[in-house]
């Protein structure tokens, strides 16, 4: 095989490999788009169901109640509250307030529900004025049911502050707060804008947009097309006889 033919074969292998990789990434983006659409449909369905009571959540599988709107009435335990570090809202660094709340219904016993009470601005992503961030002892809030993060090995507590965590890990938070926690998390809904940066603002709920997955898929398929068309153009140009 001549040197020119070897170069053409190698270039062809590289072009096909690149095209296949781009096609695979394109279908991956389409799969993510389908997942986003399914999540959005579930969010809309649960929202249309109205807001129920947190008392109805006892004993239910987390997947069956995910994204359900719930009215929480309970007593906040600020002494056991921790913050999740390195959060952001509208590009500003801060923390999420993780507050255990004991529902007023006696059927919950000693079990508390972890409430993501809101976001507070913190320049270093961890230090806030905890007293200024407190609200009423008895809370009544509209919330959205969400889930704990998948359990992971390692310490979720930051060594510099025992009341700062970097992940929503159920077992670690339960041990840290010294309280039994329900197997789900409630995200407080409400006004996500405040003029007092020391007071909590509600965390923005999940967006119902489809994101950029469709445009990313189109880009990857375009790259695959460019790779193949470019190789074909190279081959055709190589075969064209040179004018003397």
């Amino acid at each position: 095989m001549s040197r020119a033919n070897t170069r053409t074969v190698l270039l062809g292998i590289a072009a096909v490999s690149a095209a296949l990789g781009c096609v695979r990434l394109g279908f991956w983006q389409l799969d993510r788009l389908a997942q986003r659409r399914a999540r959005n449909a579930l969010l809309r369905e649960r929202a249309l169901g109205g807001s129920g009571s947190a008392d109805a959540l006892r004993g239910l599988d987390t997947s069956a109640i995910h994204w359900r709107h719930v009215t929480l009435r309970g007593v906040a335990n600020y002494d056991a509250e921790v913050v999740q570090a390195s959060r952001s809202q509208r590009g500003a660094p801060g923390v999420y307030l993780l507050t255990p709340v004991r529902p007023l219904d006696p059927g919950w016993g000693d079990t508390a529900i972890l409430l993501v009470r809101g976001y507070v601005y913190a320049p270093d992503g961890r230090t806030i004025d905890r007293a200024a961030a407190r609200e009423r002892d008895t809370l009544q809030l509209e919330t959205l049911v969400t889930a704990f993060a998948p359990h992971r090995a390692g310490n979720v507590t930051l060594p510099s502050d025992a009341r700062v965590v970097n992940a929503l890990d159920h077992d670690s938070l339960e041990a840290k707060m010294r309280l039994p926690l329900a197997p789900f998390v409630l995200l407080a809904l409400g006004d996500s804008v405040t003029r007092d940066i020391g007071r909590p603002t509600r965390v923005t709920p999940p967006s119902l947009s489809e994101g950029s997955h469709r445009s990313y898929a189109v880009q990857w398929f375009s790259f695959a097309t460019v790779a193949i068309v470019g190789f074909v153009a190279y081959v055709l140009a190589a075969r064209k006889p040179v004018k003397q």
Side-chain angles (χ1 to χ4, degrees):
M1 183 181 293
S2 67
R3 181 176 299 178
N5 288 340
T6 300
R7 183 169 57 250
T8 300
V9 170
L10 293 176
L11 184 60
I13 293 174
V16 171
S17 298
L20 289 176
C22 291
V23 168
R24 180 178 180 182
L25 289 171
F27 280 112
W28 174 64
Q29 287 293 341
L30 290 179
D31 182 61
R32 293 190 65 188
L33 176 60
Q35 293 175 18
R36 176 69 72 92
R37 286 174 172 173
R39 190 209 66 170
N40 290 349
L42 182 61
L43 279 166
R44 293 189 183 97
E45 178 187 346
R46 297 280 164 87
L48 290 174
S51 183
S53 169
D55 301 339
L57 302 180
R58 290 200 310 271
L60 296 180
D61 183 75
T62 304
S63 61
I65 60 177
H66 204 187
W67 307 129
R68 182 178 294 183
H69 287 245
V70 168
T71 300
L72 174 65
R73 299 181 182 88
V75 178
N77 186 343
Y78 296 111
D79 292 335
E81 182 178 72
V82 300
V83 301
Q84 185 178 7
S86 302
R87 304 293 92 189
S88 67
Q89 192 148 301
R90 295 182 177 85
V95 301
Y96 286 174
L97 301 170
L98 308 181
T99 310
V101 177
R102 181 174 54 80
L104 295 178
D105 181 10
W108 286 90
D110 294 331
T111 300
I113 299 176
L114 185 69
L115 174 70
V116 181
R117 192 159 59 87
Y119 159 89
V120 175
Y121 171 73
D124 64 354
R126 67 178 68 180
T127 307
I128 62 169
D129 183 346
R130 296 178 182 273
R134 287 184 62 143
E135 298 179 69
R136 296 184 301 273
D137 290 338
T138 301
L139 299 175
Q140 179 169 326
L141 298 169
E142 294 303 311
T143 67
L144 190 67
V145 180
T146 183
F148 282 94
H151 179 71
R152 68 182 190 182
N155 192 356
V156 301
T157 300
L158 297 186
S160 59
D161 192 334
R163 296 186 66 181
V164 179
V165 300
N166 54 27
L168 283 177
D169 182 80
H170 178 274
D171 294 346
S172 299
L173 287 168
E174 197 172 56
K176 178 172 294 297
M177 293 177 174
R178 299 181 180 179
L179 291 169
L181 294 175
F184 56 86
V185 179
L186 293 183
L187 175 68
L189 301 177
D191 191 0
S192 60
V193 178
T194 181
R195 295 182 180 179
D196 185 350
I197 62 174
R199 300 287 294 173
T201 61
R202 304 310 179 202
V203 177
T204 305
S207 170
L208 290 176
S209 73
E210 293 186 349
S212 303
H213 301 302
R214 182 197 295 272
S215 61
Y216 287 156
V218 171
Q219 288 179 11
W220 285 119
F221 291 139
S222 299
F223 293 154
T225 302
V226 169
I228 297 301
V229 171
F231 172 69
V232 172
Y234 170 81
V235 172
L236 293 177
R239 290 181 176 179
K240 188 176 180 180
V242 179
K243 295 183 179 180
Q244 300 295 331

